[in-house]
Amino acid sequence: DIQLTQSPSFLSASVGDRVTITCRASQGISSYLAWYQQKPGKAPKLLIYAASTLQSGVPSRFSGSGSGTEFTLTISSLQPEDFATYYCQQLNSYPQTFGQGTKVEIK
Amino acid sequence: EVQLVESGGGLVKPGGSLRLSCAASGFTFSSYSMNWVRQAPGKGLEWVSSISSSSSYIYYADSVKGRFTISRDNAKNSLYLQMNSLRAEDTAVYYCAVKRSVAGMVMYDPWGQGTLVTVSS
């Protein structure tokens, strides 16, 4: 099974900050990686697929990069509505595992 | 509008059974693979099971293999998860999600609102 390790697990930041979250895969997954945002009590929402393709309707301050085993999600200027938990997911093979999540909180 | 509505969650005793349903609308259900993902209280997302559009390919997480059965009825635009021999650690919100493909790249989108399963005596 492919393991995904996100870092950090918790992040405290201020509005306007640039934020970067890393997702490392235990083996190569090409670009079969998606990022999701989840707010309390809500279903996950797709942000990015294919490692770097922004889902329609998602603000351009979100970006993704990487391939193989190392990936990043960047929020260029954190907005109040971005405080949430972020998950990566590999879709290269089954089981289609998720990272453990990164909680972004207000400093 | 694409919509996924889960139902069937509730309180069940350890060793009991429950059947979850996911009603789909607003898209051609029979053309897409479907998935169940769960989230234990205060925990992260855990992939549970996937089924291809024609039910030809089915996959399970090791944690549920032999206890859970995924199925679908394309005529009814519905996805199911039959859960048997339930354990306390199966307590979670269960989400259904569509697996879409764009230029060969895949993603889970959209997701339903989830249904809570609580396994407790």
Side-chain angles (χ1 to χ4, degrees):
Chain A
D1 296 359
I2 297 173
Q3 314 300 322
L4 295 181
T5 303
Q6 286 183 234
S7 60
S9 296
F10 176 86
L11 190 158
S12 181
S14 301
V15 172
D17 283 354
R18 181 182 181 88
V19 165
T20 298
I21 299 168
T22 298
C23 177
R24 289 188 174 87
S26 59
Q27 56 187 273
I29 58 170
S30 184
S31 296
Y32 290 96
L33 188 102
W35 289 97
Y36 303 89
Q37 176 193 65
Q38 188 181 34
K39 296 183 178 179
K42 300 293 187 183
K45 171 190 170 184
L46 176 69
L47 296 177
I48 286 169
Y49 64 94
S52 60
T53 303
L54 198 66
Q55 167 70 347
S56 175
V58 174
S60 59
R61 62 180 179 273
F62 290 92
S63 64
S65 65
S67 68
T69 61
E70 187 147 339
F71 303 85
T72 59
L73 172 70
T74 299
I75 309 173
S76 59
S77 177
L78 201 62
Q79 297 302 301
E81 60 267 32
D82 301 337
F83 292 95
T85 301
Y86 295 85
Y87 295 92
C88 57
Q89 181 196 21
Q90 67 83 15
L91 298 111
N92 181 74
S93 62
Y94 288 96
Q96 297 194 323
T97 44
F98 292 87
Q100 82 277 16
T102 296
K103 188 173 184 179
V104 178
E105 289 200 342
I106 302 172
K107 182 181 281 185
Chain B
E1 179 195 4
V2 175
Q3 196 169 15
L4 298 170
V5 178
E6 301 95 334
S7 61
L11 176 62
V12 61
K13 288 181 168 55
S17 298
L18 214 53
R19 188 195 196 205
L20 304 184
S21 298
C22 171
S25 60
F27 65 104
T28 307
F29 179 76
S30 60
S31 296
Y32 294 91
S33 294
M34 293 296 297
N35 311 274
W36 289 101
V37 176
R38 70 183 179 183
Q39 186 170 37
K43 303 297 184 182
L45 301 171
E46 179 187 14
W47 172 82
V48 173
S49 183
S50 295
I51 185 169
S52 63
S53 57
S54 60
S55 305
S56 298
Y57 300 97
I58 287 175
Y59 305 91
Y60 297 101
D62 285 346
S63 57
V64 307
K65 202 172 294 183
R67 301 187 300 123
F68 289 12
T69 302
I70 191 172
S71 62
R72 64 190 295 162
D73 185 335
N74 287 343
K76 294 183 178 180
N77 290 341
S78 293
L79 173 72
Y80 306 102
L81 186 68
Q82 176 67 43
M83 304 187 296
N84 298 332
S85 303
L86 282 161
R87 307 166 179 165
E89 54 266 35
D90 296 318
T91 294
V93 174
Y94 285 74
Y95 296 101
C96 63
V98 180
K99 185 176 184 179
R100 291 197 297 115
S101 176
V102 175
M105 288 297 173
V106 292
M107 69 220 75
Y108 285 15
D109 177 67
W111 298 56
Q113 86 289 350
T115 188
L116 176 62
V117 172
T118 303
V119 184
S120 174
S121 55

